[in-house]
Amino acid sequence: MDLFLEQLFNGLAIGAIYALITLGLALIYGIFGVLHVAHAGVYTIGAYIGYGVYAATGNLALAFAVSALLCALTGVAIERFIYVPLMKYPPYVPLISSIALFMATEEFCRLVAGPYVLSFSTNLPFPAFSFSGIRFSSNLTGVYVIAGAIFFFLWILTTKTETGLALRATSMDAPIASSLGINGALAVDTAFALGSAIAAVAGILVGIYYNEVHPDMGAMPAYKSLALIVVGGLGSVEGAVAASLLLGVAETLLIGFAAIPLPRDALAFIAMIFVLMWRPTGLFGARS
Amino acid sequence: MLLEVSDLFVSYGGVEAVSQVSFSVGEGELVSIIGANGAGKTSILNAVMGLVPPSRGAIRFDGSDITRLASHLRARSRMRIVPERAHVFAHLTVLENLLVGAYGLRKSMDVQQRLRSLYEFFPVLEERSSQLARTLSGGEQQQLSIARALISDPKLLLVDEISMGLMPKLVETVFQALHDLNRRHGLTILLVEQNALASLKIANRGYVLEAGRIALEGDAADLMRDAGVREAYLGI
């Protein structure tokens, strides 16, 4: 039973990290209509910047802040200089450029930092404790607290603020939102900045949690998060979060605990296939 | 003139939908543009609101040239549109839809007070304020769309085919409401309508649009007496 619970909590932490990556993708797709595959590239860059700042200063909070800020700017730059000029073409054009951009960021990281696995050996500054026999490492606690804080912040932002209302209105009907005084370009910038900053945080968390940062670390999140936003319902942020948490738990329990002989990373795609067959709009998909 | 459109052209992929259209709307007027389906009425309104770019021509609003101005900036200079088929935000509540209409205005106006006066005008919206907009009937969505535009206290209200898809009884109510807004509250309204009779009845002036061009213009009462108009649009 203890092992089961321990696995459950680990799975939830992994799911929370998936969610931090995927929600940015859902947010951007919802408001901009582009499958931003290079989002996982931004996540990789975020992990490297965090690693670099921490190695140089020893200040983890600074590493998070600098990385989030630089990645927010990177995300907005990708939107403004790559996607926006391509929006006049059919949707597969920005999609293909997004895939190319993702590969370019991987190679960029390899060129700058070398093709090695860097070890991000530090602990998140949170208490480790045991609760009725289940051990929570400081990193596990840290992932919970940081992810929880970000989810809470986003919930407040989207449901309680005028900016959040403008983002939701724009994602539902951009022309009508603009005819009511909402600056659509600013809403898109906001989505890219927010999503990218959160992806940077996720990159650092993964680097520390698994103690490694490497140029290919974005590959698995890149296609897993695509499967996850399909399962969650394209463009639905709450759907993306729910699907991510479910996947983290399912991967850990089914393959780690129940020892089903499947490659762990196949599960997201199996789930995607079943969801597409049974409910093509996704778990939370509202739009048709 | 509050709104002056001169020599407006709108085309989609080389096909001209609006050709050399000029018209104006004075402060306090209710002007109606009538015409058959596909005559280019919606394109004209969308060009005025900034939702489609004109290929040629000039649009002046409230003393300044807005031809190249972004849609959200036109909205902020107090122009609002009630789009065809209401276009409410389906997955926002009724209240949230209204608050989107008041976007950016929370500091400069008493939004609660505006809500109260709109609820007086459209009581059903108060009853349903916490419902998602997609659960409303067609007529209720139309009311929500009007209220969402009115909450900002616009100088000019553009109204696109409001009678479309409404029951005849509701059409009468909605046109009566527009009439009241114009005559009692001094709201300037530009209406485009397929339902020529109902819209000319409440208008001061009218324009008849045929295949993207203005074919006829004049006082609404004169247009209703015009033999050609009666035959083509009023079915009399």
Side-chain angles (χ1 to χ4, degrees), chain A residues 9-36:
Chain A
F9 284 113
N10 278 327
L12 214 51
I14 290 167
I17 290 173
Y18 287 161
L20 292 181
I21 305 169
T22 308
L23 68 83
L25 198 66
L27 191 66
I28 289 166
Y29 184 80
I31 218 156
F32 194 54
V34 166
L35 266 183
H36 177 36

Side-chain angles (χ1 to χ4, degrees), chain B residues 209-227:
Chain B
L209 197 68
E210 266 170 22
R213 292 175 181 275
I214 301 273
L216 205 61
E217 61 178 278
D219 282 341
D222 294 340
L223 286 179
M224 281 169 74
R225 278 194 293 270
D226 185 278

Side-chain angles (χ1 to χ4, degrees), chain B residues 194-206:
Chain B
Q194 219 173 315
N195 191 334
L197 185 60
S199 77
L200 286 179
K201 263 186 186 162
I202 62 166
N204 303 118
R205 287 192 303 118

Side-chain angles (χ1 to χ4, degrees), chain A residues 18 102 216-225 265 269:
Chain A
Y18 287 161
F102 170 56
D216 302 324
M217 65 186 284
M220 193 48 78
Y223 33 97
K224 225 177 246 185
S225 58
D265 296 324
F269 300 96

Side-chain angles (χ1 to χ4, degrees), chain A residues 2-12 248-249 252-253 256-257:
Chain A
D2 283 358
L3 181 63
F4 173 80
L5 284 177
E6 207 164 300
Q7 294 275 28
L8 180 71
F9 284 113
N10 278 327
L12 214 51
V249 170
T252 311
L253 290 186
F257 184 73

Side-chain angles (χ1 to χ4, degrees), chain B residues 8 32 47 50 75-76 111 125 138 155 162 168 177-178 224 232:
Chain B
L8 181 76
S32 175
R76 287 178 197 177
V111 173
L125 298 182
K155 273 189 186 145
I162 201 157
L178 291 176
M224 281 169 74

